[in-house]
Amino acid sequence: MFRSIFRPYGPVWNFCNTITDVLLLSLLWCACSLPLVTLGAATTALYDAAVHGIRYREPGPYRRFFRTFRAEWKTSVPVTLLWGGILLFGFYVLALLEEAAVEQTVAGVMAGGYRVLMGIPLCAACWSCMLLSRFTYKFRELTANALRFLPVHLLPSLAIGVFTWLVCWYCLHYPIALAFAPAVAMIGWSLVAEPVFKKYGGGLGEDAPSADPEKER
């Protein structure tokens, strides 16, 4: 019995491999995100590697990470600058509203509404990375499709936005979580994003996608 449990590629082996992949891929994401402008490329590569390597147990997740990072960094840099700049400005305005909310109730209400509005660029940035990990796009097409996915796939977008917000909040309060939270976040994204990709023929192991997402990676 114990021999079957601890055998190579048995339950314990697979569990240890999964934990190792979560930790190492998360640390790779942290290292590759340090220049900040490569945040989108690192997230695109992490989603691709985590879904294929951790969720579906395909071999070579680290090679996949670096291959996707090299292939998509040029497209992802303007994506990072666009949504990152919008989010930074949004956090600045939110900080001003929260400061004013100490004395004015109206400012507190506005701050709450502004948090909801910030979900739009946050979700668009998430969809951009996921789409780029699966399909080949230019910047304009990628941005247009990411924005189109928000209303068309509203419930998945809400789930992705809320989950990402919670992960970011947790990492800000407990920085040690950066050792595992990025890869866990990608698995969480995939639970709602992969069924959406299947509708466009972009699910894993499927045929070429339809003409909407132009070309699968």
Side-chain angles (χ1 to χ4, degrees):
M1 176 179 178
F2 287 102
R3 180 178 295 180
S4 63
I5 292 175
F6 290 95
R7 73 184 188 278
Y9 305 106
V12 174
W13 175 282
N14 289 331
F15 176 78
C16 292
N17 274 349
T18 298
I19 297 300
T20 301
D21 289 342
V22 166
L23 294 174
L24 292 182
L25 286 173
S26 295
L27 293 174
L28 278 177
W29 177 86
C30 291
C32 292
S33 298
L34 286 177
L36 296 183
V37 294
T38 59
L39 180 61
T43 305
T44 298
L46 180 62
Y47 182 83
D48 193 36
V51 173
H52 285 267
I54 298 177
R55 184 174 174 185
Y56 292 104
R57 305 309 309 170
E58 295 181 15
Y62 308 108
R63 291 194 302 271
R64 177 176 286 274
F65 179 94
F66 287 113
R67 183 171 68 246
T68 304
F69 184 87
R70 289 193 300 267
E72 306 300 346
W73 75 271
K74 288 183 179 179
T75 303
S76 66
V77 166
V79 172
T80 304
L81 294 175
L82 172 64
W83 299 121
I86 292 174
L87 286 170
L88 284 176
F89 178 77
F91 281 119
Y92 172 72
V93 175
L94 182 61
L96 294 178
L97 289 173
E98 289 180 340
E99 184 178 348
V102 177
E103 299 179 356
Q104 300 178 7
T105 306
V106 176
V109 175
M110 292 177 63
Y114 202 78
R115 287 191 183 92
V116 176
L117 287 177
M118 286 180 63
I120 296 176
L122 177 64
C123 291
C126 295
W127 276 120
S128 295
C129 294
M130 289 184 286
L131 284 166
L132 193 58
S133 75
R134 190 62 47 82
F135 305 103
T136 298
Y137 281 117
K138 294 182 179 179
F139 169 70
R140 182 179 298 179
E141 298 164 339
L142 177 62
T143 303
N145 275 283
L147 288 172
R148 184 171 62 85
F149 266 47
L150 293 180
V152 174
H153 304 289
L154 183 60
L155 290 180
S157 298
L158 288 174
I160 289 168
V162 171
F163 185 63
T164 304
W165 190 280
L166 291 174
V167 170
C168 291
W169 179 91
Y170 190 80
C171 289
L172 284 173
H173 287 77
Y174 306 98
I176 190 64
L178 287 170
F180 62 87
V184 172
M186 299 301 102
I187 299 301
W189 285 8
S190 72
L191 295 177
V192 294
E194 291 304 312
V196 173
F197 288 156
K198 288 182 180 180
K199 296 179 180 179
Y200 297 97
L204 296 183
E206 295 189 0
D207 295 331
S210 63
D212 187 14
E214 290 185 351
K215 182 181 177 184
E216 188 177 4
R217 295 189 63 254

